[in-house]
Amino acid sequence: MHVDVLFTWVARSCFVLLAILTLHALWRYRDRARLDIALLFNVFAILFVIQVLAELFDIRSTLLSAIGLMALVSQPHLTLRLVEHFRTVPQWVKRVSLFGLLLIWLLLLTLAITAPIFVILVIVVYFVFVDGYVTQAFLQNARATLGVTRQRLLLAAWGSGLVGLVIFLLGLGVVVPVLAPLTGSLSGIGAAIIAICYYLAFAPPRWLRRIWQMSEMYGFLAVSAQYLSEQRTDDFLDTLCKSATRTGDAQATVVCLWDADTERFVVRATDNATLVGAAFAGDSSEVQRAWNDHQAVVVAADSGTRTELNDLAARVRSQTYYMLPIITPRRVWGLLIVFLQHGSLFPHDDLTHLSLLAGQGAITLEHESLIADQQQLVNQLQHEVLERTQAETHILQLNNALEHRAVELQNANQELEAFSYSVSHDLRAPLRAVDGFSRILLEDYVAELPESAVRYLNLVRTNTQQMGQLIDDLLTFSRLSRQPLSTRPVALRDIVNKVWADLEDEQADRQIALEVEELPVCEADPALLQQVFVNLLGNALKFTSKRDQTHIVVGCQQDGDERVFFVRDNGVGFDMRYAHKLFGVFQRLHRAEDYDGTGVGLATVQRIIHRHGGRIWAESELDKGTTFYFTLEGDGANG
């Protein structure tokens, strides 16, 4: 096969493949850009199909030849239509293109295929002018963009430029016949290169797009890596906006974050000063699709619908804008919006590249949020460490104060021991002497003493004995704070029975019924617990002394997880308004003339119960009796 034939078939195959691929893209996306692209390459396909049919079936039809040439010369005008998708084409250029196309069609239909040289020259000039303008437009837009779109526009520029060059060579071969073999061969090679350029520009394979994307993203990440390492999020977002603007040769780009307080999107970063601090509501359907459905959206700002976002687009003279969600698996952060002056010839590639930028922006925002959370935790930890250090310092001060207090307490205890010894020996000795001499006077000289003197001596003895008992009670009360606890399992019934037996003298000539209910074993100091029952049972006997029938109950009842012990009597009772005085030292709720006592017994009971970690209280009603309740720490239902 001759080389020229090979190049011809390569060109034809590529253009037919392009026609099929662009038709598929038109069916898939159904937009005007795909329609114009499909129209361009299907015109080429029609031209080559006509040529193939003519060669295979040896058809020499003037009409078919004219249709083929008309399809060929429509290429510049159809390519110019593609330029209108991303920039404004001057009206005079569009008019020259359309007028030139109609003129050439008219000449071809009039002169058929025997076109004179001046018609060939008109066609050459037409191709060179229009394709030259198209090539220049593709190149300018390619220099202003990034990513896959940039590479595709460059290839489209090469293809359009080569079309003009090939037509020029063919025209040169017609004008200078001697050069026809050379220009024909070069034109065949050029046609094959054109087909390849157009194929890579308008239907590039996916792997090639990925290479272009990764190359561009690598450059972007290399520039922004420094900002990320230095946690300069705002600088990174500014770089992202500039990169996004160049991706689509846009007017401006904004990164908008959702503000839950105002329920509006607020511009966090932008590369256009007129959009700094702008905000808009998220009530439009396009915003909802991007925000709620996580879809990339292309919006026509000049659609006639008045929204706050369209007003922002008008500020930067944008007719179309892209809107992409800035999203991570953790949350949706906001929107990346790119405002284009016109539109894009390859919006899908733009959106793909912008999606990568939006994803990187989302990662950066999440990184910033995590760093902020981490810093908050660090600050909280530092605050807690400071508080703990201060607490430890305070505890150390308290320990020092406690040690000092312990020394003081030890000294006080020693002084108290000395005082107790003094009370026990120095104070009680004179009392014994007074009581003893009073007793001697009453025994040996009672006959010589008047009746009043005997009564006075009996009063002296009674009061000295009461004072001795008071001293004993006070000593017992004071020792309770220093006496160590010796807890062990205690059978309460045995203690109650022993105490009741010791109080036998107070039961003489009385009708008393003691009822001891089921009492559990508990953990306590048996000696101190015995003192509790000595006081409680003693009080019960004392305050029921005026009853004909005395009834005393000792028992235990369950209150939730707590066992409550009680001693109940049917004595005189007391007014509950004065219950707060019941356990005070020297506090008495009855007259001393009616009931003897020192006023220390219940205070002693309370101190013993508190030393066991329990609590004690009383319930009473005048002339109906009293019940004392108490608990012991660690004595639960299962204790």
mmCIF file of all heavy atoms in Angstrom, residues 129-166:
data_model
loop_
_atom_site.group_PDB
_atom_site.id
_atom_site.type_symbol
_atom_site.label_atom_id
_atom_site.label_comp_id
_atom_site.label_asym_id
_atom_site.label_seq_id
_atom_site.Cartn_x
_atom_site.Cartn_y
_atom_site.Cartn_z
ATOM 1 N N PHE A 129 -8.135 32.389 6.470
ATOM 2 C CA PHE A 129 -8.621 33.459 7.347
ATOM 3 C C PHE A 129 -9.406 32.896 8.542
ATOM 4 O O PHE A 129 -9.103 33.181 9.700
ATOM 5 C CB PHE A 129 -9.504 34.426 6.544
ATOM 6 C CG PHE A 129 -10.200 35.433 7.419
ATOM 7 C CD1 PHE A 129 -9.516 36.509 7.960
ATOM 8 C CD2 PHE A 129 -11.558 35.286 7.729
ATOM 9 C CE1 PHE A 129 -10.163 37.427 8.779
ATOM 10 C CE2 PHE A 129 -12.204 36.195 8.545
ATOM 11 C CZ PHE A 129 -11.504 37.273 9.075
ATOM 12 N N VAL A 130 -10.433 32.092 8.250
ATOM 13 C CA VAL A 130 -11.308 31.619 9.334
ATOM 14 C C VAL A 130 -10.564 30.643 10.245
ATOM 15 O O VAL A 130 -10.609 30.756 11.478
ATOM 16 C CB VAL A 130 -12.581 30.976 8.764
ATOM 17 C CG1 VAL A 130 -13.461 30.454 9.903
ATOM 18 C CG2 VAL A 130 -13.354 31.975 7.924
ATOM 19 N N ASP A 131 -9.858 29.662 9.662
ATOM 20 C CA ASP A 131 -9.130 28.711 10.505
ATOM 21 C C ASP A 131 -7.988 29.396 11.254
ATOM 22 O O ASP A 131 -7.629 28.983 12.364
ATOM 23 C CB ASP A 131 -8.598 27.554 9.662
ATOM 24 C CG ASP A 131 -9.653 26.469 9.454
ATOM 25 O OD1 ASP A 131 -10.435 26.243 10.398
ATOM 26 O OD2 ASP A 131 -9.704 25.860 8.382
ATOM 27 N N GLY A 132 -7.420 30.435 10.639
ATOM 28 C CA GLY A 132 -6.394 31.191 11.358
ATOM 29 C C GLY A 132 -6.973 31.871 12.595
ATOM 30 O O GLY A 132 -6.363 31.861 13.674
ATOM 31 N N TYR A 133 -8.169 32.474 12.435
ATOM 32 C CA TYR A 133 -8.813 33.106 13.589
ATOM 33 C C TYR A 133 -9.162 32.057 14.648
ATOM 34 O O TYR A 133 -8.942 32.264 15.850
ATOM 35 C CB TYR A 133 -10.075 33.848 13.151
ATOM 36 C CG TYR A 133 -10.820 34.465 14.311
ATOM 37 C CD1 TYR A 133 -10.456 35.710 14.807
ATOM 38 C CD2 TYR A 133 -11.865 33.785 14.934
ATOM 39 C CE1 TYR A 133 -11.120 36.268 15.885
ATOM 40 C CE2 TYR A 133 -12.533 34.332 16.023
ATOM 41 C CZ TYR A 133 -12.156 35.575 16.489
ATOM 42 O OH TYR A 133 -12.810 36.125 17.569
ATOM 43 N N VAL A 134 -9.698 30.920 14.190
ATOM 44 C CA VAL A 134 -10.072 29.852 15.130
ATOM 45 C C VAL A 134 -8.844 29.336 15.873
ATOM 46 O O VAL A 134 -8.872 29.121 17.093
ATOM 47 C CB VAL A 134 -10.778 28.713 14.375
ATOM 48 C CG1 VAL A 134 -10.927 27.486 15.268
ATOM 49 C CG2 VAL A 134 -12.137 29.171 13.872
ATOM 50 N N THR A 135 -7.746 29.150 15.137
ATOM 51 C CA THR A 135 -6.515 28.663 15.773
ATOM 52 C C THR A 135 -6.036 29.631 16.840
ATOM 53 O O THR A 135 -5.664 29.237 17.954
ATOM 54 C CB THR A 135 -5.424 28.472 14.710
ATOM 55 O OG1 THR A 135 -5.875 27.528 13.730
ATOM 56 C CG2 THR A 135 -4.135 27.973 15.347
ATOM 57 N N GLN A 136 -6.051 30.925 16.480
ATOM 58 C CA GLN A 136 -5.626 31.948 17.446
ATOM 59 C C GLN A 136 -6.542 31.955 18.673
ATOM 60 O O GLN A 136 -6.080 32.098 19.810
ATOM 61 C CB GLN A 136 -5.628 33.313 16.744
ATOM 62 C CG GLN A 136 -5.327 34.491 17.647
ATOM 63 C CD GLN A 136 -6.595 35.214 18.107
ATOM 64 O OE1 GLN A 136 -7.665 35.036 17.523
ATOM 65 N NE2 GLN A 136 -6.466 35.999 19.151
ATOM 66 N N ALA A 137 -7.855 31.765 18.483
ATOM 67 C CA ALA A 137 -8.800 31.743 19.609
ATOM 68 C C ALA A 137 -8.543 30.535 20.507
ATOM 69 O O ALA A 137 -8.533 30.646 21.742
ATOM 70 C CB ALA A 137 -10.234 31.721 19.084
ATOM 71 N N PHE A 138 -8.334 29.362 19.886
ATOM 72 C CA PHE A 138 -8.032 28.168 20.679
ATOM 73 C C PHE A 138 -6.754 28.357 21.489
ATOM 74 O O PHE A 138 -6.684 27.984 22.669
ATOM 75 C CB PHE A 138 -7.899 26.944 19.770
ATOM 76 C CG PHE A 138 -9.214 26.334 19.369
ATOM 77 C CD1 PHE A 138 -9.418 25.888 18.068
ATOM 78 C CD2 PHE A 138 -10.236 26.188 20.281
ATOM 79 C CE1 PHE A 138 -10.617 25.313 17.688
ATOM 80 C CE2 PHE A 138 -11.447 25.607 19.910
ATOM 81 C CZ PHE A 138 -11.640 25.178 18.608
ATOM 82 N N LEU A 139 -5.730 28.939 20.876
ATOM 83 C CA LEU A 139 -4.454 29.128 21.567
ATOM 84 C C LEU A 139 -4.593 30.103 22.733
ATOM 85 O O LEU A 139 -4.047 29.869 23.822
ATOM 86 C CB LEU A 139 -3.398 29.633 20.579
ATOM 87 C CG LEU A 139 -2.854 28.603 19.582
ATOM 88 C CD1 LEU A 139 -1.927 29.268 18.575
ATOM 89 C CD2 LEU A 139 -2.109 27.493 20.321
ATOM 90 N N GLN A 140 -5.301 31.198 22.528
ATOM 91 C CA GLN A 140 -5.480 32.172 23.608
ATOM 92 C C GLN A 140 -6.216 31.546 24.795
ATOM 93 O O GLN A 140 -5.838 31.741 25.955
ATOM 94 C CB GLN A 140 -6.250 33.391 23.093
ATOM 95 C CG GLN A 140 -5.407 34.359 22.281
ATOM 96 C CD GLN A 140 -6.167 35.635 21.964
ATOM 97 O OE1 GLN A 140 -7.376 35.719 22.157
ATOM 98 N NE2 GLN A 140 -5.459 36.632 21.459
ATOM 99 N N ASN A 141 -7.270 30.808 24.486
ATOM 100 C CA ASN A 141 -8.027 30.186 25.573
ATOM 101 C C ASN A 141 -7.212 29.096 26.260
ATOM 102 O O ASN A 141 -7.317 28.904 27.474
ATOM 103 C CB ASN A 141 -9.333 29.607 25.026
ATOM 104 C CG ASN A 141 -10.338 29.308 26.123
ATOM 105 O OD1 ASN A 141 -10.675 28.168 26.368
ATOM 106 N ND2 ASN A 141 -10.826 30.346 26.805
ATOM 107 N N ALA A 142 -6.387 28.378 25.507
ATOM 108 C CA ALA A 142 -5.544 27.335 26.100
ATOM 109 C C ALA A 142 -4.536 27.934 27.070
ATOM 110 O O ALA A 142 -4.268 27.369 28.138
ATOM 111 C CB ALA A 142 -4.824 26.557 25.001
ATOM 112 N N ARG A 143 -3.964 29.099 26.699
ATOM 113 C CA ARG A 143 -2.997 29.737 27.598
ATOM 114 C C ARG A 143 -3.649 30.214 28.894
ATOM 115 O O ARG A 143 -2.978 30.343 29.916
ATOM 116 C CB ARG A 143 -2.327 30.915 26.886
ATOM 117 C CG ARG A 143 -1.284 30.505 25.860
ATOM 118 C CD ARG A 143 -0.406 31.687 25.489
ATOM 119 N NE ARG A 143 -1.166 32.735 24.815
ATOM 120 C CZ ARG A 143 -1.301 32.832 23.495
ATOM 121 N NH1 ARG A 143 -0.713 31.927 22.711
ATOM 122 N NH2 ARG A 143 -1.993 33.807 22.954
ATOM 123 N N ALA A 144 -4.954 30.474 28.856
ATOM 124 C CA ALA A 144 -5.655 30.992 30.039
ATOM 125 C C ALA A 144 -6.261 29.894 30.897
ATOM 126 O O ALA A 144 -6.847 30.185 31.938
ATOM 127 C CB ALA A 144 -6.758 31.963 29.606
ATOM 128 N N THR A 145 -6.149 28.636 30.475
ATOM 129 C CA THR A 145 -6.788 27.544 31.214
ATOM 130 C C THR A 145 -5.747 26.551 31.705
ATOM 131 O O THR A 145 -4.553 26.657 31.408
ATOM 132 C CB THR A 145 -7.812 26.809 30.327
ATOM 133 O OG1 THR A 145 -7.149 26.313 29.162
ATOM 134 C CG2 THR A 145 -8.935 27.739 29.919
ATOM 135 N N LEU A 146 -6.245 25.569 32.472
ATOM 136 C CA LEU A 146 -5.393 24.525 33.033
ATOM 137 C C LEU A 146 -6.019 23.163 32.778
ATOM 138 O O LEU A 146 -7.154 23.053 32.326
ATOM 139 C CB LEU A 146 -5.230 24.726 34.549
ATOM 140 C CG LEU A 146 -4.545 26.005 35.033
ATOM 141 C CD1 LEU A 146 -4.651 26.098 36.543
ATOM 142 C CD2 LEU A 146 -3.090 26.033 34.600
ATOM 143 N N GLY A 147 -5.261 22.131 33.092
ATOM 144 C CA GLY A 147 -5.799 20.782 33.108
ATOM 145 C C GLY A 147 -6.051 20.202 31.738
ATOM 146 O O GLY A 147 -5.411 20.547 30.732
ATOM 147 N N VAL A 148 -7.036 19.305 31.695
ATOM 148 C CA VAL A 148 -7.370 18.600 30.461
ATOM 149 C C VAL A 148 -7.847 19.577 29.398
ATOM 150 O O VAL A 148 -7.523 19.439 28.208
ATOM 151 C CB VAL A 148 -8.448 17.533 30.745
ATOM 152 C CG1 VAL A 148 -8.851 16.824 29.461
ATOM 153 C CG2 VAL A 148 -7.941 16.524 31.762
ATOM 154 N N THR A 149 -8.622 20.571 29.793
ATOM 155 C CA THR A 149 -9.144 21.548 28.830
ATOM 156 C C THR A 149 -8.013 22.245 28.094
ATOM 157 O O THR A 149 -8.088 22.476 26.877
ATOM 158 C CB THR A 149 -10.020 22.577 29.561
ATOM 159 O OG1 THR A 149 -11.113 21.898 30.178
ATOM 160 C CG2 THR A 149 -10.557 23.617 28.598
ATOM 161 N N ARG A 150 -6.963 22.586 28.801
ATOM 162 C CA ARG A 150 -5.817 23.252 28.165
ATOM 163 C C ARG A 150 -5.217 22.367 27.077
ATOM 164 O O ARG A 150 -4.967 22.826 25.948
ATOM 165 C CB ARG A 150 -4.771 23.569 29.233
ATOM 166 C CG ARG A 150 -3.476 24.167 28.687
ATOM 167 C CD ARG A 150 -2.424 24.235 29.789
ATOM 168 N NE ARG A 150 -1.191 24.808 29.299
ATOM 169 C CZ ARG A 150 -0.881 26.090 29.342
ATOM 170 N NH1 ARG A 150 -1.747 26.945 29.855
ATOM 171 N NH2 ARG A 150 0.267 26.538 28.879
ATOM 172 N N GLN A 151 -4.990 21.091 27.382
ATOM 173 C CA GLN A 151 -4.386 20.186 26.409
ATOM 174 C C GLN A 151 -5.309 19.987 25.202
ATOM 175 O O GLN A 151 -4.851 19.962 24.050
ATOM 176 C CB GLN A 151 -4.085 18.835 27.072
ATOM 177 C CG GLN A 151 -3.204 18.925 28.315
ATOM 178 C CD GLN A 151 -1.844 19.524 28.019
ATOM 179 O OE1 GLN A 151 -1.309 19.375 26.917
ATOM 180 N NE2 GLN A 151 -1.286 20.221 29.005
ATOM 181 N N ARG A 152 -6.593 19.867 25.459
ATOM 182 C CA ARG A 152 -7.529 19.647 24.354
ATOM 183 C C ARG A 152 -7.632 20.877 23.458
ATOM 184 O O ARG A 152 -7.733 20.760 22.223
ATOM 185 C CB ARG A 152 -8.901 19.272 24.921
ATOM 186 C CG ARG A 152 -8.900 17.936 25.647
ATOM 187 C CD ARG A 152 -10.252 17.582 26.213
ATOM 188 N NE ARG A 152 -11.213 17.264 25.159
ATOM 189 C CZ ARG A 152 -12.441 16.804 25.388
ATOM 190 N NH1 ARG A 152 -12.850 16.613 26.641
ATOM 191 N NH2 ARG A 152 -13.250 16.537 24.392
ATOM 192 N N LEU A 153 -7.612 22.064 24.053
ATOM 193 C CA LEU A 153 -7.659 23.285 23.240
ATOM 194 C C LEU A 153 -6.390 23.437 22.405
ATOM 195 O O LEU A 153 -6.443 23.902 21.254
ATOM 196 C CB LEU A 153 -7.860 24.504 24.142
ATOM 197 C CG LEU A 153 -9.254 24.655 24.761
ATOM 198 C CD1 LEU A 153 -9.276 25.800 25.759
ATOM 199 C CD2 LEU A 153 -10.308 24.886 23.677
ATOM 200 N N LEU A 154 -5.251 23.068 22.987
ATOM 201 C CA LEU A 154 -4.004 23.129 22.214
ATOM 202 C C LEU A 154 -4.068 22.193 21.004
ATOM 203 O O LEU A 154 -3.667 22.560 19.885
ATOM 204 C CB LEU A 154 -2.818 22.767 23.105
ATOM 205 C CG LEU A 154 -2.382 23.827 24.123
ATOM 206 C CD1 LEU A 154 -1.300 23.270 25.043
ATOM 207 C CD2 LEU A 154 -1.871 25.075 23.399
ATOM 208 N N LEU A 155 -4.568 20.980 21.220
ATOM 209 C CA LEU A 155 -4.678 20.033 20.101
ATOM 210 C C LEU A 155 -5.699 20.517 19.071
ATOM 211 O O LEU A 155 -5.501 20.344 17.854
ATOM 212 C CB LEU A 155 -5.077 18.659 20.639
ATOM 213 C CG LEU A 155 -3.965 17.924 21.408
ATOM 214 C CD1 LEU A 155 -4.537 16.734 22.162
ATOM 215 C CD2 LEU A 155 -2.870 17.462 20.443
ATOM 216 N N ALA A 156 -6.802 21.125 19.556
ATOM 217 C CA ALA A 156 -7.781 21.676 18.615
ATOM 218 C C ALA A 156 -7.163 22.805 17.799
ATOM 219 O O ALA A 156 -7.442 22.953 16.592
ATOM 220 C CB ALA A 156 -9.010 22.170 19.382
ATOM 221 N N ALA A 157 -6.313 23.615 18.454
ATOM 222 C CA ALA A 157 -5.631 24.692 17.729
ATOM 223 C C ALA A 157 -4.702 24.117 16.662
ATOM 224 O O ALA A 157 -4.647 24.614 15.521
ATOM 225 C CB ALA A 157 -4.852 25.559 18.716
ATOM 226 N N TRP A 158 -3.961 23.064 17.026
ATOM 227 C CA TRP A 158 -3.094 22.409 16.038
ATOM 228 C C TRP A 158 -3.923 21.872 14.873
ATOM 229 O O TRP A 158 -3.544 22.039 13.694
ATOM 230 C CB TRP A 158 -2.330 21.260 16.693
ATOM 231 C CG TRP A 158 -1.050 21.682 17.343
ATOM 232 C CD1 TRP A 158 -0.841 21.957 18.647
ATOM 233 C CD2 TRP A 158 0.197 21.871 16.686
ATOM 234 N NE1 TRP A 158 0.454 22.313 18.879
ATOM 235 C CE2 TRP A 158 1.137 22.266 17.673
ATOM 236 C CE3 TRP A 158 0.640 21.754 15.358
ATOM 237 C CZ2 TRP A 158 2.469 22.543 17.392
ATOM 238 C CZ3 TRP A 158 1.977 22.022 15.075
ATOM 239 C CH2 TRP A 158 2.869 22.421 16.081
ATOM 240 N N GLY A 159 -5.025 21.226 15.181
ATOM 241 C CA GLY A 159 -5.853 20.666 14.115
ATOM 242 C C GLY A 159 -6.384 21.739 13.184
ATOM 243 O O GLY A 159 -6.318 21.612 11.943
ATOM 244 N N SER A 160 -6.907 22.835 13.752
ATOM 245 C CA SER A 160 -7.468 23.900 12.914
ATOM 246 C C SER A 160 -6.384 24.590 12.102
ATOM 247 O O SER A 160 -6.588 24.932 10.919
ATOM 248 C CB SER A 160 -8.190 24.925 13.807
ATOM 249 O OG SER A 160 -9.266 24.320 14.481
ATOM 250 N N GLY A 161 -5.228 24.801 12.733
ATOM 251 C CA GLY A 161 -4.132 25.422 11.991
ATOM 252 C C GLY A 161 -3.669 24.557 10.835
ATOM 253 O O GLY A 161 -3.386 25.055 9.731
ATOM 254 N N LEU A 162 -3.604 23.243 11.081
ATOM 255 C CA LEU A 162 -3.173 22.339 10.008
ATOM 256 C C LEU A 162 -4.205 22.255 8.891
ATOM 257 O O LEU A 162 -3.847 22.042 7.720
ATOM 258 C CB LEU A 162 -2.902 20.950 10.584
ATOM 259 C CG LEU A 162 -1.615 20.824 11.418
ATOM 260 C CD1 LEU A 162 -1.542 19.454 12.069
ATOM 261 C CD2 LEU A 162 -0.387 21.054 10.532
ATOM 262 N N VAL A 163 -5.498 22.400 9.228
ATOM 263 C CA VAL A 163 -6.520 22.406 8.173
ATOM 264 C C VAL A 163 -6.252 23.554 7.205
ATOM 265 O O VAL A 163 -6.268 23.387 5.968
ATOM 266 C CB VAL A 163 -7.928 22.526 8.779
ATOM 267 C CG1 VAL A 163 -8.957 22.837 7.684
ATOM 268 C CG2 VAL A 163 -8.310 21.240 9.477
ATOM 269 N N GLY A 164 -6.008 24.741 7.759
ATOM 270 C CA GLY A 164 -5.699 25.877 6.891
ATOM 271 C C GLY A 164 -4.447 25.642 6.073
ATOM 272 O O GLY A 164 -4.386 25.993 4.877
ATOM 273 N N LEU A 165 -3.427 25.014 6.697
ATOM 274 C CA LEU A 165 -2.181 24.747 5.985
ATOM 275 C C LEU A 165 -2.385 23.731 4.868
ATOM 276 O O LEU A 165 -1.856 23.892 3.748
ATOM 277 C CB LEU A 165 -1.131 24.243 6.981
ATOM 278 C CG LEU A 165 0.246 23.897 6.388
ATOM 279 C CD1 LEU A 165 0.877 25.130 5.738
ATOM 280 C CD2 LEU A 165 1.166 23.323 7.467
ATOM 281 N N VAL A 166 -3.153 22.673 5.138
ATOM 282 C CA VAL A 166 -3.404 21.644 4.115
ATOM 283 C C VAL A 166 -4.161 22.242 2.935
ATOM 284 O O VAL A 166 -3.836 21.971 1.759
ATOM 285 C CB VAL A 166 -4.172 20.464 4.737
ATOM 286 C CG1 VAL A 166 -4.724 19.549 3.636
ATOM 287 C CG2 VAL A 166 -3.260 19.674 5.663
#
